[in-house]
Amino acid sequence: MVLSEGQPPLSRVASNLLNGSLAPPVTSPAPNATHVTESVLELADGTAFRGISFGAEGKSVAGECVFQTGMVGYTESLTDPSYEGQILILTYPLIGNYGVPARPKTNTIDDIPSDFESSRIHVAAVVVGYYSEDYSHFLADSSLSAWLKESGVPAIYGVDTRALTKKIREKGSMLGKVLARKPSALDVRARPLESNPNSRGSSSPSPPDAWKNDYENIPFHDPNGDNLVAAVSTKTAKLFQPVGEPRMHPSGTRPLRVLAVDVGMKYNQIRCFTHRGVELKVVPWDYDYLATTEEPFDGLFISNGPGDPATVKSTITRLAQAMEKADRPIFGICLGHQLLALAAGAKTSKMKYGNRGHNIPCTDALSGRCYITSQNHGYQVDTATLPEGWQELFKNANDGSNEGIYCVNKPFFSVQFHPESTPGPRDTEFLFDVFIQNIVDCVTTNTLVPISMPGGKKEDNEKRVPRADVQKVLILGSGGLSIGQAGEFDYSGSQAIKALKEEGIYTILLNPNIATIATSKGLADKVYFLPVTPEFVRKIIEQR
């Protein structure tokens, strides 16, 4: 389709496309015209969303639709092997504004790019609300659209991602497909996604699925039935040398070496070891690291990865043998966490829609401290099935799902979240230091020393800082009616009120801005529409 000069901007075209009301294309495009190609996201429940293609064109793909709530980091997310085979819905409203860094010309084991998490894009397709071709960032080398086209990955914008995310939250992750327009239909007005008696000027109703005739249709496909780990794992063993001064083995004859089983490994996990002076040997998912011919290594690491953990049976079997042998520490992340749990005898299950985002709180069961984490998973470990000798290490503070486990008498532990995450947060990157120190302790003492977590014990921390018995809280609102000011503080203020009320605390809000959610009736227990000044704050405190 062609959008000539003088027609609506792309944002309005996207809105029109959603309603199936785009005007017929201009047959003689004006100079410098912008080409707009329609695409459709169809879900397994029959729902369809029409939008504009900004990725690889003429290609239809199928996969599992999942959403991710991160505000930044689309470059890292798209190259995360854990998204293999999935149609990724980015909920942040504007995508593409900082472009994409230059792609590495070579992919040697000594040159791991700092701006990507693997050597290629792993998602099947990308779905966003609005896309910006006008990027600005000192690292940017091209637009996101150019990178997607270069990689052969379809993408669509102009979709109501809020409605789409709400549907997935209510119904759970579902299969979907992004359909490309047939070449023969590019110059034809888009048919409505639902039956319309007046469509195309016809006097008789069109069949409900008539629009599908204009698209390259393909069947739905569940990627979780595939061996996704084999698709993303390295094919040969690779050795990565320490960056900077090496962390030496207590014998003094060689650097500490960790053997990492790649079931979908992110580059930053490699960096987190090598930048701590550790020599890292990365091996395929089905590699026999227990063979007598294997070179010595001091710790075993199981990476993140895609798909159903129960399908990677050979990896689970070998990991169970390694734990039975019990001659070195073991650490797992994400899929590696689930595989470790299965090897220990626990069970896993598929979550309704998973956890994918950069701001998910997890509580340390040992210290009671809560950390903000980055996550990307659709399966979970069932805590109730943990065998004797294993306990929960972390718990999701939002939904209560398991986020980590540890063995009480052996140096084995794992976490569901990503402590190495880029672009962040990295609040839990210290877990690599915990693992490495555990390796040193075990080698030095020649015994199996259980892990030692920082932060102290929960009982001691609660005694040292007892929880305050708070009955009332005064919340200072967003201030005056300033453009761009109220929205940011209104969100934080309204969320604070909700959290406090869940704890049974009486809330008092001081906010002169009547046009906010925080001041809505029924949210705070008491609202004062007064200026936020020391005098008024003092008077309210004295009165309440």
Side-chain angles (χ1 to χ4, degrees):
M1 305 192 77
V2 177
L3 177 66
S4 67
E5 293 181 335
Q7 284 188 292
L10 293 188
S11 58
R12 199 189 313 166
V13 171
S15 176
N16 290 338
L17 281 170
L18 286 170
N19 299 320
S21 59
L22 185 65
V26 177
T27 54
S28 299
N32 302 320
T34 303
H35 293 267
V36 178
T37 304
E38 299 171 11
S39 188
V40 165
L41 169 65
E42 183 183 6
L43 302 181
D45 68 351
T47 308
F49 296 81
R50 180 179 280 128
I52 297 173
S53 169
F54 70 98
E57 297 184 359
K59 179 180 180 181
S60 295
V61 298
E64 180 185 29
C65 290
V66 299
F67 66 88
Q68 194 249 56
T69 60
M71 296 176 64
V72 294
Y74 54 75
T75 300
E76 292 86 351
S77 293
L78 298 188
T79 53
D80 182 349
S82 296
Y83 281 118
E84 179 74 18
Q86 294 179 325
I87 297 174
L88 179 59
I89 301 154
L90 299 174
T91 63
Y92 192 66
L94 175 63
I95 300 296
N97 56 313
Y98 56 84
V100 177
R103 273 68 78 195
K105 294 182 172 57
T106 60
N107 185 32
T108 65
I109 62 173
D110 298 321
D111 183 26
I112 296 179
S114 59
D115 305 309
F116 301 88
E117 286 305 300
S118 69
S119 60
R120 65 177 176 88
I121 296 177
H122 288 275
V123 300
V126 182
V127 180
V128 303
Y130 185 76
Y131 165 71
S132 174
E133 184 73 10
D134 297 325
Y135 59 89
S136 177
H137 193 276
F138 74 101
L139 290 176
D141 180 71
S142 75
S143 68
L144 174 58
S145 175
W147 185 38
L148 291 167
K149 291 177 180 177
E150 167 191 313
S151 304
V153 178
I156 177 175
Y157 82 94
V159 171
D160 187 345
T161 52
R162 294 171 299 177
L164 182 55
T165 300
K166 184 177 180 180
K167 176 179 284 291
I168 293 175
R169 282 179 60 90
E170 291 175 349
K171 295 190 174 183
S173 297
M174 62 182 73
L175 300 184
K177 48 190 177 182
V178 174
L179 304 178
R181 290 273 281 181
K182 293 179 179 178
S184 59
L186 292 178
D187 294 328
V188 179
R189 181 176 179 179
R191 308 189 201 203
L193 296 183
E194 297 179 355
S195 178
N196 182 350
N198 299 318
S199 64
R200 294 181 176 274
S202 173
S203 58
S204 59
S206 300
D209 294 335
W211 62 270
K212 294 184 179 181
N213 296 326
D214 298 335
Y215 293 85
E216 299 286 356
N217 204 359
I218 58 174
F220 289 103
H221 174 69
D222 185 0
N224 294 302
D226 303 333
N227 189 341
L228 299 176
V229 168
V232 301
S233 177
T234 182
K235 305 305 178 188
T236 58
K238 302 176 182 179
L239 185 64
F240 296 87
Q241 297 296 334
V243 175
E245 185 176 352
R247 184 82 176 260
M248 297 302 293
H249 185 275
S251 66
T253 59
R254 60 177 177 82
L256 281 179
R257 174 181 285 191
V258 170
L259 187 142
V261 180
D262 177 8
V263 288
M265 196 170 192
K266 294 168 63 179
Y267 280 159
N268 205 42
Q269 291 173 359
I270 299 175
R271 302 184 198 107
C272 283
F273 282 111
T274 58
H275 284 257
R276 285 172 168 77
V278 173
E279 186 177 72
L280 189 71
K281 183 176 181 179
V282 179
V283 301
W285 67 283
D286 55 354
Y287 184 87
D288 186 8
Y289 50 84
L290 298 178
T292 56
T293 55
E294 181 61 37
E295 296 176 321
F297 61 95
D298 309 300
L300 179 62
F301 174 74
I302 317 298
S303 78
N304 66 292
D308 184 349
T311 63
V312 197
K313 298 187 183 303
S314 62
T315 307
I316 297 171
T317 300
R318 188 166 287 116
L319 186 53
Q321 294 171 351
M323 288 195 294
E324 184 178 356
K325 189 176 181 182
D327 59 352
R328 54 179 63 89
I330 303 176
F331 177 34
I333 288 176
C334 194
L335 180 62
H337 159 67
Q338 299 162 9
L339 295 176
L340 187 71
L342 289 170
K347 295 180 180 180
T348 58
S349 60
K350 186 172 176 59
M351 305 179 75
K352 184 175 182 180
Y353 50 82
N355 285 319
R356 299 174 179 87
H358 299 162
N359 60 345
I360 300 174
C362 293
T363 304
D364 182 346
L366 300 180
S367 69
R369 179 175 177 177
C370 190
Y371 297 92
I372 300 300
T373 69
S374 176
Q375 301 192 18
N376 174 16
H377 64 102
Y379 289 81
Q380 65 180 343
V381 173
D382 294 332
T383 308
T385 66
L386 287 173
E388 184 179 357
W390 288 82
Q391 293 186 12
E392 187 170 58
L393 182 58
F394 287 94
K395 176 182 287 188
N396 190 301
N398 285 337
D399 60 18
S401 61
N402 176 262
E403 296 286 355
I405 59 173
Y406 72 102
C407 184
V408 296
N409 56 7
K410 294 178 181 177
F412 309 148
F413 77 109
S414 59
V415 293
Q416 181 63 75
F417 49 83
H418 285 271
E420 85 296 339
S421 177
T422 51
R426 293 189 176 180
D427 299 32
T428 55
E429 193 173 307
F430 68 85
L431 291 173
F432 286 90
D433 298 307
V434 169
F435 179 50
I436 294 170
Q437 185 59 50
N438 188 230
I439 292 174
V440 173
D441 293 341
C442 290
V443 173
T444 303
T445 62
N446 198 29
T447 57
L448 292 179
V449 182
I451 64 166
S452 177
M453 294 285 288
K457 295 183 179 180
K458 183 178 180 180
E459 310 81 56
D460 297 335
N461 292 336
E462 289 177 347
K463 291 179 182 178
R464 180 172 54 85
V465 186
R467 180 165 180 164
D469 183 17
V470 178
Q471 296 181 351
K472 293 182 181 181
V473 170
L474 174 60
I475 301 170
L476 305 183
S478 59
L481 289 168
S482 302
I483 296 176
Q485 177 189 22
E488 177 183 353
F489 288 94
D490 186 27
Y491 176 81
S492 58
S494 58
Q495 294 302 309
I497 293 171
K498 291 179 180 179
L500 291 168
K501 292 191 74 172
E502 287 179 359
E503 296 293 324
I505 297 173
Y506 188 89
T507 55
I508 305 167
L509 174 65
L510 172 58
N511 191 338
N513 191 343
I514 63 173
T516 61
I517 299 298
T519 55
S520 298
K521 184 177 180 180
L523 201 56
D525 294 297
K526 182 68 175 179
V527 179
Y528 288 91
F529 291 105
L530 296 170
V532 183
T533 64
E535 292 76 14
F536 283 113
V537 171
R538 188 180 300 111
K539 288 182 179 180
I540 292 174
I541 292 175
E542 291 172 351
Q543 292 179 6
R544 304 303 302 185

